[in-house]
Amino acid sequence: MQLKEHIIRGIQVFDVLDSENRLFLRVASDFGAKIMELNMTLEENIIPVLWKADFEELDSNEFGKNDILFPFPNRLDCGAYEYNGTQYKFPINEKELNNSIHGFLRERRFEFKHEKVEENSAEVTFSFTFDGESFYPFPFVFEVTYHIMSDFFQVSFSITNSGNQTMPFGLGWHPYFVLDRKGSGKINLPDRREHLVNDRYLPTGEIRIENGKFFEPDSSFYNATFEIMGKSPFYELELRKHILDIEASDSFGFLQLYTPPKMNAVAIEPMTCCINSFNNKIGFKELSSLEIFNVDIKIKLSNKLIG
């Protein structure tokens, strides 16, 4: 494989290509190290895995395609929270519901840090250093590493608290997986609790138990938040001709499922916490000074066995 750096429409992108110049991975480092495109191969056929983000979409970011969600995933009520006796307030970026959503990392520029390219695999690392701002005065260093082979992909996150005090945080990833035509597919899921939400998509405190069922996305709108019960976060997306196994580190104990209407894609979003966790403390995490938090998500592509 090979790694190429380009400036396209004034935007810095990094492409991983195979020996035939087929695009496997495209990353926009200027936009939170967002994956713009992820493809794999089965029997030499290119398989689109993630919903492609076009250059025109980078500024509007309507669907948040494949964004890294930090220092919290999902929503924060009115953007406000209290930590160690001090009140803070994130900017409101979901104005229609008066919420702050998905943190700010997706808006920051990452620096290229490291590459490891071999004949059949490639690994590329990007880094962002944050010195603290009024709404989140907690310095950190965030690194993301993408590792890809023809039928395997891994994203690894490393967060270092570079400040001198404990920092609150939550982490999520927002990948959209390409479905079959007409938006069909089947997601096998572990036992889980659904955290029911109000009309602002904030938890009501009500919980519904879902035992070992599957979810079949279609072309209609769907948006739900789950807490995984007992087992490791493992999800199987079964499509007409192939299967994607999605395995996350145990720290990703929460899951958001989201289907935008009529888009032939489903977001399967591993998260370390629930919606509004800075306030309700459901899955809430803290990182001590100089402590490092490491997690990853693996995606394996395989043929669907017929029999």
Side-chain angles (χ1 to χ4, degrees):
M1 289 192 175
Q2 54 186 317
L3 177 67
K4 291 187 177 181
E5 180 182 354
H6 310 273
I7 301 295
I8 302 177
R9 302 187 187 184
I11 296 166
Q12 186 177 42
V13 297
F14 292 81
D15 290 346
V16 173
L17 305 102
D18 69 1
S19 58
E20 299 176 28
N21 282 322
R22 296 179 297 182
L23 180 64
F24 273 63
L25 175 69
R26 169 166 285 178
V27 178
S29 57
D30 293 342
F31 289 82
K34 173 204 285 281
I35 294 176
M36 296 184 66
E37 192 166 350
L38 175 64
N39 303 304
M40 296 185 191
T41 59
L42 271 181
E43 299 173 347
E44 295 305 312
N45 296 314
I46 285 284
I47 306 294
V49 175
L50 295 185
W51 189 14
K52 181 180 177 180
D54 295 324
F55 284 93
E56 293 81 0
E57 300 176 86
L58 291 177
D59 284 323
S60 65
N61 200 31
E62 180 180 1
F63 293 103
K65 292 180 182 178
N66 317 320
D67 284 342
I68 300 169
L69 315 178
F70 188 84
F72 61 89
N74 224 300
R75 291 168 173 83
L76 187 61
D77 186 7
C78 299
Y81 68 104
E82 178 183 322
Y83 189 66
N84 288 341
T86 301
Q87 298 281 345
Y88 303 100
K89 186 175 176 63
F90 282 90
I92 300 298
N93 55 359
E94 190 182 40
K95 297 184 186 303
E96 65 275 18
L97 298 178
N98 194 31
N99 293 317
S100 186
I101 185 168
H102 294 331
F104 57 80
L105 205 63
R106 57 187 181 160
E107 303 164 359
R108 305 303 173 104
R109 185 178 187 274
F110 276 62
E111 300 292 336
F112 171 78
K113 183 178 179 181
H114 169 76
E115 67 176 277
K116 181 180 179 182
V117 179
E118 299 180 345
E119 182 179 357
N120 297 313
S121 67
E123 181 179 288
V124 57
T125 299
F126 300 90
S127 180
F128 170 69
T129 299
F130 180 69
D131 295 326
E133 295 182 18
S134 60
F135 51 83
Y136 191 73
F138 307 102
F140 62 81
V141 177
F142 192 107
E143 291 187 358
V144 56
T145 298
Y146 299 121
H147 179 84
I148 188 164
M149 302 170 66
S150 62
D151 60 354
F152 174 82
F153 176 77
Q154 177 173 310
V155 52
S156 300
F157 304 106
S158 179
I159 304 161
T160 301
N161 178 355
S162 56
N164 57 14
Q165 61 178 318
T166 300
M167 60 180 270
F169 78 98
L171 171 66
W173 188 41
H174 204 291
Y176 283 88
F177 293 89
V178 177
L179 296 173
D180 292 328
R181 293 179 181 178
K182 299 182 180 179
S184 62
K186 177 180 176 181
I187 305 171
N188 292 309
L189 298 164
D191 294 347
R192 60 209 180 275
R193 305 180 184 92
E194 181 179 0
H195 288 262
L196 303 183
V197 297
N198 60 21
D199 57 2
R200 293 176 58 223
Y201 294 104
L202 298 170
T204 64
E206 297 179 82
I207 290 176
R208 180 165 55 204
I209 302 297
E210 300 277 356
N211 291 315
K213 297 179 181 179
F214 56 84
F215 170 65
E216 291 188 271
D218 54 32
S219 60
S220 60
F221 175 80
Y222 181 81
N223 195 12
T225 304
F226 300 99
E227 182 176 357
I228 305 305
M229 297 168 58
K231 297 182 180 179
S232 297
F234 181 84
Y235 317 107
E236 182 184 70
L237 175 56
E238 182 179 339
L239 301 172
R240 187 167 59 92
K241 292 184 177 180
H242 61 271
I243 291 174
L244 288 167
D245 289 332
I246 304 158
E247 182 179 4
S249 296
D250 288 348
S251 294
F252 284 113
F254 293 79
L255 171 70
Q256 190 78 19
L257 290 179
Y258 172 75
T259 57
K262 300 179 182 179
M263 292 297 178
N264 288 5
V266 59
I268 304 174
E269 309 170 39
M271 306 184 299
T272 63
C273 59
C274 193
I275 305 167
N276 200 30
S277 71
F278 277 20
N279 293 308
N280 60 33
K281 308 305 181 185
I282 303 173
F284 179 71
K285 291 191 179 299
E286 297 175 289
L287 201 61
S288 300
S289 176
L290 304 184
E291 186 180 359
I292 301 173
F293 180 78
N294 293 309
V295 285
D296 57 53
I297 300 165
K298 301 173 183 176
I299 301 170
K300 181 72 170 68
L301 173 68
S302 61
N303 277 311
K304 185 173 180 180
L305 299 177
I306 306 297

